[in-house]
Amino acid sequence: MTHNEIDQLVKGFIIDAAQSAANPRVQQIVLRLVSDLFKAIEDLDLSASEVWQGLEFLQEAGGRMELGLIAPGIGLDRFLDIRFDESEAKLGITGGTPRTIEGPLYVAGAPVAKGFARLDDGTESEQGKVLFMQGTVYGANGKPLPNSQVEVWHANLLGNYSFFDKSQSAFNLRRTITTDENGRYQFQSIVPKGYGCPPDGSTAKLLGLLGRHGQRPAHIHFFVTAVGHRKLTTQINIDGDEYLWDDFAFASREGLVPPVVEVSDPTEMAKHGVSKPFASIDFDFHLNAEVAAAPTTEVERRRAQA
């Protein structure tokens, strides 16, 4: 079939077959996606078996709750960020901390602390290196933003996230920090490790067929919000990680790899209340002012709620 013939066929299926009032936006999207799918089947000469294998793969991935991993693995999450960046640049919104993908492992409702929080529950203190990370949240005018919110979450030393990993305590390695009167935040945790997608899962299967690995560098996620400013969704990577610039989720970006300073001075150790050397990361967040004409940075998606 020609593409024009496919367009007419799909119009008959999606538009002409409607027998009651339809949602025009849903019609528009389904018409386009089904038309593109049919054209791909025709152009690539996909067999019926290949089509059904694809459907079965998606069904299996959904059952394993892995579509949220496949999305970044095929670059979908990064593409959406690119579109955000382009739309903001057209409106002159520039200069803030780079955004990058949220990932599928955020959990709402983490405990709130003022200025400082300890993220880890201490169960991995012996195996891991203590981390102190601190900085300032700045507004569009370059001034610190008191009472802004820094939501932070990361994986444990096995690459697992609390809530999804039931062996961890509630909200382990998750907190919401309200900045102090100087716009400052700080937290104590452990230096996270990089991890890979489940080796027996749908994402690993697909990536293997594409000749790719499923590894992520060690990283820490953030939502940063303040009144009158655009929400920032980002993450920093731990410098020196083997997969720093080879992230299967395409989330690594310039400006999001701060130096990791090794601190062994006894005075500094005592000041921070620890008895062994620790890692320190300084990182400031710079937010952009909200602009009415800009696309919202509040992405509506299902998120876990503990």
Side-chain angles (χ1 to χ4, degrees):
M1 296 180 70
T2 67
H3 282 198
N4 285 337
E5 289 171 335
I6 289 174
D7 286 337
Q8 290 304 310
L9 179 68
V10 176
K11 178 177 179 291
F13 292 159
I14 306 302
I15 304 297
D16 299 341
Q19 297 177 345
S20 61
N23 182 306
R25 180 61 170 167
V26 173
Q27 269 193 333
Q28 179 188 35
I29 294 170
V30 173
L31 179 69
R32 174 60 184 269
L33 293 180
V34 174
S35 295
D36 287 351
L37 174 61
F38 285 13
K39 289 170 187 175
I41 291 171
E42 183 70 23
D43 294 347
L44 298 173
D45 193 24
L46 298 184
S47 68
S49 294
E50 288 174 318
V51 171
W52 279 104
Q53 287 167 8
L55 291 171
E56 289 162 1
F57 172 81
L58 292 174
Q59 184 177 35
E60 178 186 88
R64 295 179 60 95
M65 304 295 287
E66 284 199 35
L67 292 177
L69 281 177
I70 291 174
I74 61 174
L76 176 59
D77 287 15
R78 180 71 184 103
F79 176 67
L80 295 176
D81 280 350
I82 291 170
R83 295 190 74 242
F84 263 127
D85 290 346
E86 289 178 344
S87 63
E88 289 183 339
K90 289 177 181 177
L91 293 169
I93 303 172
T94 59
T97 298
R99 66 166 46 85
T100 193
I101 70 172
E102 174 184 337
L105 298 169
Y106 170 79
V107 177
V112 179
K114 181 73 172 181
F116 171 84
R118 179 167 179 175
L119 272 58
D120 69 299
D121 62 7
T123 57
E124 295 182 309
S125 295
E126 293 302 315
Q127 307 99 298
K129 178 178 283 293
V130 173
L131 168 67
F132 285 91
M133 181 169 172
Q134 54 277 318
T136 302
V137 178
Y138 290 97
N141 60 3
K143 296 181 179 180
L145 286 172
N147 299 314
S148 51
Q149 284 200 332
V150 178
E151 296 182 74
V152 53
W153 68 101
H154 69 79
N156 69 0
L157 297 181
L158 297 177
N160 298 323
Y161 287 77
S162 62
F163 180 83
F164 303 96
D165 172 14
K166 301 304 181 184
S167 70
Q168 296 186 49
S169 61
F171 293 111
N172 186 39
L173 306 173
R174 300 179 186 273
R175 288 295 185 275
T176 296
I177 304 170
T178 303
T179 58
D180 66 16
E181 63 276 9
N182 298 310
R184 297 280 296 173
Y185 78 91
Q186 185 184 49
F187 62 81
Q188 177 182 342
S189 191
I190 54 172
V191 178
K193 299 287 188 181
Y195 59 85
C197 56
D200 60 343
S202 302
T203 310
K205 179 179 180 180
L206 176 61
L207 293 175
L209 292 170
L210 294 173
R212 294 177 49 206
H213 67 74
Q215 298 297 313
R216 294 217 63 199
H219 58 279
I220 303 174
H221 294 268
F222 298 94
F223 285 156
V224 187
T225 54
V227 175
H229 290 77
R230 292 175 66 73
K231 178 179 180 178
L232 173 65
T233 300
T234 195
Q235 53 186 273
I236 61 107
N237 284 351
I238 304 301
D239 197 12
D241 190 284
E242 176 185 359
Y243 294 97
L244 183 60
W245 299 108
D246 189 21
D247 179 4
F248 98 89
F250 307 107
S252 299
R253 298 192 67 178
E254 295 286 351
L256 297 176
V257 189
V260 180
V261 177
E262 299 292 331
V263 180
S264 58
D265 179 70
T267 302
E268 285 297 312
M269 289 162 52
K271 177 181 175 182
H272 285 78
V274 296
S275 58
K276 62 181 181 179
F278 63 90
S280 180
I281 295 175
D282 291 318
F283 192 81
D284 297 331
F285 296 102
H286 295 265
L287 304 186
N288 288 314
E290 190 57 271
V291 175
T296 179
T297 49
E298 288 287 354
V299 178
E300 295 184 16
R301 55 185 285 186
R302 289 185 180 179
R303 297 181 175 93
Q305 177 95 32

